[in-house]
Each structure stands twice: as C-alpha cells, then as structure tokens.
Amino acid sequence: DYGHDPRQLPRLFADLFVWHQLWAAMDIIDDVDNAMAAYLDSEFPTNIGEKYLRIYGALQGLFLQQDALLNLIGTIHPAKNIRLNDVLKDIREARNASIGHPTQLRRKGVLSAHGIVQHSMRKDGFELLSYPEKDGKMFQYVPVRRLIEKQRAEAVRILSEVVEDLREQEEAHRARFREIKLMAVFNQVSYAFEKIFEEIRGDFSRGLGSWAVDQLRKSLDDFGALLKARGLGIDSYDSIEYLYDQIEHPLTELTKFVRKEPSEILSNKSAVVFVEALKSYFGELRQIAREIDEEYSSEPGPVVQAEPHNLP
C-alpha cells in the first residue's frame, strides 16, 4: 500500500533503482518465506544429495531474506534504524561457516575451515565440524529448524514495527488536514453553472457569466493548492490529471465565449454542449474530492500481525 501511495510515489520515483529495489525486496521476503514453509512442511529426503540441497537452500534463503529486509527498510522507511546483523547474527554466522565460506572463513582475525557432518543431516539441523587455525577441530550443532523459526518471528516483529511507524506517520498527516475539506473548494460550482446557463440562454443574469467561469477556474486552482499542501499534485492521481486535461479546453473556450471574444463556440446552443460537458467533469472531480475527504476523516487500518509458521 505504501509503495502505491500517491503521496510517497514522488520520493520513490525520484530514484528508479530505489523503486525497483523496493519491490524486489518484498518479493524476496515473500519468496523465502514460501521456501521456508516448504522446507518445514515437506518430508526430509533420504538421498544425500537432496539433503545437501535442502540445507544449502534453507540457509542461503535465510541469508537472502535478511538482506532483503535491510533493503526494504532502507527504501521504505529510511529513518528506521535496524541492524539485522546484530539481531540475527547467529544465523548469518551459521550460514557463512556451513555454506558461505566453509573452506576459508576469517572471523575476528581467526582463520577456520568447516564441513557438514554428512550422517548428521536431519530436518531439525546438522553437526558442523570446524577446524580453527590454532585450536584444532571442534563440533557445533546448527539447528536449521530453530533458525527458520527465529528469523520468521523476528521478520514479523520488525516488519510490524515498521508498518506501525508508517501508520502513525500517516495518522499524523491525516489529522493535520482532517478539518480542511477538499469538497469546500467546489461549494460555488453549482451556482456558477446556474449563472452560466442563464447567461448563454439570455436570461436575466447577464453579466454573471464572466464571474462564473472565473469561479470554475478558481475552484480548480484552489483544489490543486490544497493537494499540494498535502504533498500531492494534480498528477498524483490519474483520474484527477485526466479530468483537468478534459476540462482545460472547453473551459478556455467557454470563457472566451461569455466574454464575447473569438471562440470555437459559435452559438448559444453549442455553448450548452460545452457547459454540460464541464458540469459532468466537475461532478467527477467533486466525487474524488469527497472520497479523499472521507479517507482523511478515517484512521489508517491497524497493523495485522502475521502468525509465525506453525512448527511441529
């Protein structure tokens, strides 16, 4: 939702790499979660090669998801200070030793080599045999199932916290403009159209047509100014941009006509067609303004906490 928010799009589109990185990160987080669910739900293979593929895939997937979480937060909520290397450091260390750099791993200046004990491989985890440069061999257990559970719970916590922060920012923004109604700029539009119709039909209100077309233009300018104050623009919504484009020509020609200037409108009957079209377009704009006002009158939805994968 944030990635499609018209108020956020200018920042995200300012750097197209950031835009693509955001969606790639969301895909990776979701894809890895699906992969981890498959690891937990599927029967662990009996074939040695398949066992290695499962373990390699699971640990590499966790590593990829951590990077994606960091990149997602960096693009969507740059002010959020989260260091996954500290929070989930043991997972990265297990991955690096087991499948990342097993033949030559340097950690805190100490060189070591590692290997998975083949007969120990189970869905729950495996034994890792390590050869530190100075201390001889040592064993450690890598609890794959537990690492998946831990990272999934931590990812849910982090993402929920980020979304809650964004929700609070959105609520503060809505509260700031809640009492400033976009619909108010169109309060005089119906009256303006009434006077335009009277003008072109030759009724008693001759002279108010010029005021009326100026009032229509003013309502458009005021609407754009209120959108800008909210960090939006006419081009933030395709529907608004389309309506402004459709309004511009008939409003320009109608303005010339009521002021007795040369215009494409050659008769009062033709003018009625232009006015009816404008009235329809302004009606659509008013409806959009009403919908935006309703959105600002409501509170952003609550954060929905995802349930961690049920582990047997």
Side-chain angles (χ1 to χ4, degrees):
D1 290 345
Y2 182 96
H4 289 294
D5 186 339
R7 197 163 58 85
Q8 308 302 334
L9 287 178
R11 181 183 73 81
L12 295 175
F13 276 148
D15 185 338
L16 283 181
F17 176 77
V18 168
W19 168 255
H20 293 302
Q21 185 182 45
L22 168 64
W23 296 104
M26 284 197 284
D27 284 343
I28 292 297
I29 292 168
D30 188 48
D31 293 344
V32 171
D33 194 59
N34 287 329
M36 296 304 101
Y39 180 93
L40 297 171
D41 294 340
S42 302
E43 290 290 330
F44 199 67
T46 57
N47 179 274
I48 292 297
E50 288 289 339
K51 288 182 179 181
Y52 277 112
L53 284 175
R54 295 285 182 90
I55 289 173
Y56 287 166
L59 292 177
Q60 182 63 12
L62 293 175
F63 187 87
L64 290 174
Q65 191 178 60
Q66 287 191 23
D67 284 351
L69 281 165
L70 275 173
N71 293 142
L72 172 67
I73 296 164
T75 57
I76 205 169
H77 192 11
K80 190 69 176 176
N81 184 24
I82 290 180
R83 299 178 62 187
L84 293 182
N85 285 3
D86 293 340
V87 177
L88 299 172
K89 186 177 180 181
D90 56 337
I91 295 175
R92 295 180 79 85
E93 289 186 348
R95 175 265 181 188
N96 288 337
S98 303
I99 68 165
H101 313 282
T103 59
Q104 183 172 309
L105 178 66
R106 186 176 298 278
R107 183 183 296 153
K108 295 181 179 180
V110 177
L111 193 64
S112 59
H114 309 265
I116 295 174
V117 178
Q118 189 177 99
H119 66 79
S120 71
M121 290 187 292
R122 304 285 188 276
K123 181 188 285 190
D124 285 348
F126 59 88
E127 291 287 343
L128 183 68
L129 178 58
S130 302
Y131 296 92
E133 188 176 18
K134 299 178 180 179
D135 299 333
K137 71 178 181 180
M138 57 184 293
F139 290 91
Q140 74 175 94
Y141 183 69
V142 178
V144 178
R145 181 194 295 264
R146 176 69 188 109
L147 295 181
I148 293 172
E149 178 185 22
K150 177 181 179 180
Q151 179 154 314
R152 195 166 196 274
E154 189 64 15
V156 168
R157 183 194 67 78
I158 290 170
L159 290 174
S160 296
E161 187 177 318
V162 169
V163 172
E164 180 60 30
D165 283 354
L166 296 176
R167 193 199 70 80
E168 290 176 359
Q169 290 179 16
E170 177 64 19
E171 169 54 21
H173 171 76
R174 293 187 189 185
R176 180 183 173 193
F177 295 98
R178 188 159 286 150
E179 301 305 319
I180 305 173
K181 302 298 183 182
L182 297 177
M183 275 288 293
V185 305
F186 298 109
N187 285 345
Q188 293 293 318
V189 164
S190 294
Y191 182 70
F193 277 114
E194 178 185 328
K195 295 308 169 185
I196 292 172
F197 275 123
E198 291 176 355
E199 180 80 14
I200 63 179
R201 288 169 179 162
D203 294 337
F204 58 88
S205 65
R206 186 174 300 277
L208 286 179
S210 183
W211 165 86
V213 291
D214 286 344
Q215 182 60 40
L216 295 182
R217 179 70 67 182
K218 182 178 185 301
S219 68
L220 294 176
D221 293 342
D222 290 347
F223 186 54
L226 288 182
L227 288 176
K228 184 177 180 180
R230 300 175 188 220
L232 300 167
I234 301 304
D235 58 353
S236 296
Y237 298 87
D238 291 340
S239 55
I240 295 177
E241 186 175 29
Y242 168 79
L243 288 170
Y244 266 66
D245 183 62
Q246 295 300 303
I247 286 170
E248 181 56 37
H249 178 70
L251 182 56
T252 298
E253 294 305 313
L254 185 64
T255 300
K256 294 176 183 178
F257 181 78
V258 299
R259 291 176 177 167
K260 311 304 181 186
E261 299 172 0
S263 168
E264 292 181 7
I265 304 174
L266 302 179
S267 68
N268 287 353
K269 287 187 176 180
S270 297
V272 170
V273 176
F274 276 68
V275 178
E276 291 287 2
L278 283 171
K279 188 175 180 181
S280 175
Y281 293 142
F282 270 87
E284 292 181 52
L285 267 182
R286 291 177 71 176
Q287 179 58 34
I288 293 172
R290 180 182 292 108
E291 292 171 358
I292 296 175
D293 284 343
E294 290 173 354
E295 179 182 350
Y296 271 73
S297 295
S298 64
E299 294 185 359
V303 176
V304 178
Q305 293 280 354
E307 291 295 329
H309 190 81
N310 292 326
L311 298 172

